[in-house]
Amino acid sequence: MKIPKIVRKNGRKYEYVKSYTNYILYEDAETGIRTCFNKQELGLVKEKEKPWNLSPEKVKR
C-alpha cells in the first residue's frame, strides 16, 4: 500500500520523513518532534490470525 505523506493522529498533524521495515518516521508539523508509527497502526498491514491449537500438550510427537 501507499504510505500517507500527512497523518492526523491524536489531534496532531504529522508529516512523512522516512520509512523503515516495520515503522514509519513522522515529524509533528507544529513542534518538530519526530515520532515512529507501526505500519499496523496506520492500517497498512492487517493483523495475522494467531494459531489456535498449538499448546504444547496437544502437539503430537
Side-chain angles (χ1 to χ4, degrees):
M1 293 189 86
K2 190 174 180 181
I3 298 172
K5 300 297 179 191
I6 296 176
V7 173
R8 291 187 181 269
K9 193 159 183 133
N10 301 329
R12 307 295 256 161
K13 181 180 175 184
Y14 296 97
E15 297 175 353
Y16 173 79
V17 176
K18 188 175 180 182
S19 64
Y20 297 98
T21 54
N22 291 327
Y23 293 94
I24 301 173
L25 181 65
Y26 284 95
E27 184 174 344
D28 191 335
E30 294 177 13
T31 61
I33 296 174
R34 293 183 173 191
T35 307
C36 286
F37 292 113
N38 273 348
K39 288 185 176 181
Q40 187 175 9
E41 287 178 334
L42 298 174
L44 300 174
V45 177
K46 294 182 180 177
E47 264 189 71
K48 295 180 181 178
E49 292 184 25
K50 294 181 182 179
W52 53 274
N53 197 10
L54 289 181
S55 60
E57 299 84 29
K58 295 180 181 178
V59 175
K60 294 180 181 179
R61 295 183 190 212

